Amino acid sequence: MLEVKWCGIDFGQCLMEPTGLRTYLVIGDIYKQLGQPEKIPEAIRKFRVIVEAYGGHSLLKESHRDKIHSYVLEGDPEAIEFFAIKEREYLSVGEGAEEALSYLNEQGIEVNVVAELKKTLGAVGKDAVTSFLKAKNLIHYFSNLYTPQGKIDLRNGVIDESYKGKTKESGELYKQLIEEVKKRGIKPEEMVMVGDKIATDINPPHKLGMKTIQYTGYIDMGPSDADYKIASFYELKNLVRGLKNG
């Protein structure tokens, strides 16, 4: 059992499960609603091209959404607006995530999203991560969103740009995060990171002394330095509890 005070959770392919087939349905719905069904085959072809170019649905949606807007949707403002609306209807939350988030909050553990967001941060609800959390009514479980574009306090919307340029893969984002929470009396060994990607979610924080849990519910990325593996967020209750003192 891991006793912690702080928990970070990855976004794409973890909290949010971006099943590719759903995106094809989204694209179809957009052009049907616009009265341009003839554009569907070409838009789907373009989407397949950039999925392959950017290494999968998760990285594309989390870090390169502008390419979907400019290339697939051809910069059409109406299509882009419909895409945001329809996508929220189709995307799903990782199995057991809401129950796990409620449990972590009850345990007094500070819960945060740690994502590889590439778009400049703005008001809460304007980026892919916070718009999804708001649409799924999950945002109230979280304290902060940490990204290479900065940190945003999800309780008051305040943005800290000192994280800008610091990535998960390099470990620099985690280093700054550890220094930040140390000021509140939280040690690296009292922190846990949950995610699916070995190169960004598991090995870098593990090397810095954080506990790590590899999520395999969407895809199993293979062997890692993770302390534990879970296939469902329901399993967190059996692995993590709040550290009340020390």
Side-chain angles (χ1 to χ4, degrees):
M1 177 70 74
L2 301 177
E3 293 188 325
V4 301
K5 296 179 178 177
W6 187 99
C7 177
I9 305 178
D10 180 45
F11 179 62
Q13 295 184 180
C14 199
L15 273 175
M16 187 241 343
E17 296 198 350
T19 301
L21 289 174
R22 293 189 184 123
T23 303
Y24 300 127
L25 293 173
V26 168
I27 291 170
D29 283 355
I30 289 169
Y31 285 110
K32 286 174 187 174
Q33 193 158 341
L34 289 174
Q36 301 170 344
E38 70 280 0
K39 287 191 173 184
I40 295 173
E42 178 63 8
I44 288 175
R45 184 195 69 78
K46 287 181 175 180
F47 182 72
R48 286 180 178 141
V49 168
I50 59 174
V51 166
E52 185 174 346
Y54 289 102
H57 296 94
S58 176
L59 286 173
L60 174 62
K61 290 190 174 183
E62 192 171 330
S63 305
H64 304 285
R65 295 179 68 82
D66 58 314
K67 298 300 181 184
I68 299 175
H69 296 166
S70 62
Y71 181 60
V72 179
L73 304 177
E74 300 178 331
D76 182 335
E78 200 171 7
I80 292 168
E81 183 180 356
F82 283 149
F83 181 78
I85 294 168
K86 291 293 182 182
E87 184 182 45
R88 286 194 291 269
E89 293 175 5
Y90 279 104
L91 291 176
S92 64
V93 178
E95 184 184 56
E98 184 160 13
E99 291 83 351
L101 293 170
S102 178
Y103 166 78
L104 294 171
N105 280 183
E106 289 168 5
Q107 288 287 304
I109 298 169
E110 179 188 320
V111 186
N112 305 269
V113 183
V114 185
E116 282 286 0
L117 190 71
K118 296 291 175 70
K119 182 180 177 181
T120 303
L121 287 177
V124 173
K126 296 298 183 182
D127 59 84
V129 178
T130 59
S131 64
F132 175 82
L133 295 179
K134 287 185 73 174
K136 300 300 182 183
N137 197 29
L138 298 176
I139 201 161
H140 62 283
Y141 292 113
F142 296 94
S143 296
N144 302 286
L145 165 62
Y146 293 90
T147 83
Q149 295 299 316
K151 165 196 165 187
I152 183 166
D153 189 320
L154 297 176
R155 297 156 296 191
N156 57 30
V158 172
I159 295 173
D160 176 356
E161 293 191 345
S162 66
Y163 282 83
K164 196 171 180 65
K166 295 178 171 66
T167 67
K168 293 165 68 175
E169 187 166 9
S170 71
E172 292 303 312
L173 188 148
Y174 295 109
K175 286 178 184 177
Q176 178 156 338
L177 206 163
I178 287 169
E179 289 304 311
E180 176 196 316
V181 301
K182 268 185 183 177
K183 296 173 184 175
R184 293 190 271 122
I186 301 174
K187 304 170 186 175
E189 61 268 26
E190 297 168 347
M191 304 167 69
V192 63
M193 180 66 195
V194 182
D196 67 307
K197 302 174 197 69
I198 297 165
T200 57
D201 303 320
I202 305 301
N203 292 351
H206 188 85
K207 288 176 184 176
L208 295 170
M210 292 172 61
K211 304 301 183 185
T212 52
I213 298 175
Q214 185 176 348
Y215 176 73
T216 62
Y218 183 74
I219 186 170
D220 188 342
M221 299 288 190
S224 72
D225 295 332
D227 295 285
Y228 294 100
K229 278 189 175 186
I230 59 171
S232 165
F233 280 100
Y234 287 119
E235 298 175 61
L236 281 181
K237 283 188 177 184
N238 300 320
L239 296 179
V240 177
R241 69 182 173 204
L243 181 60
K244 304 303 181 185
N245 51 53

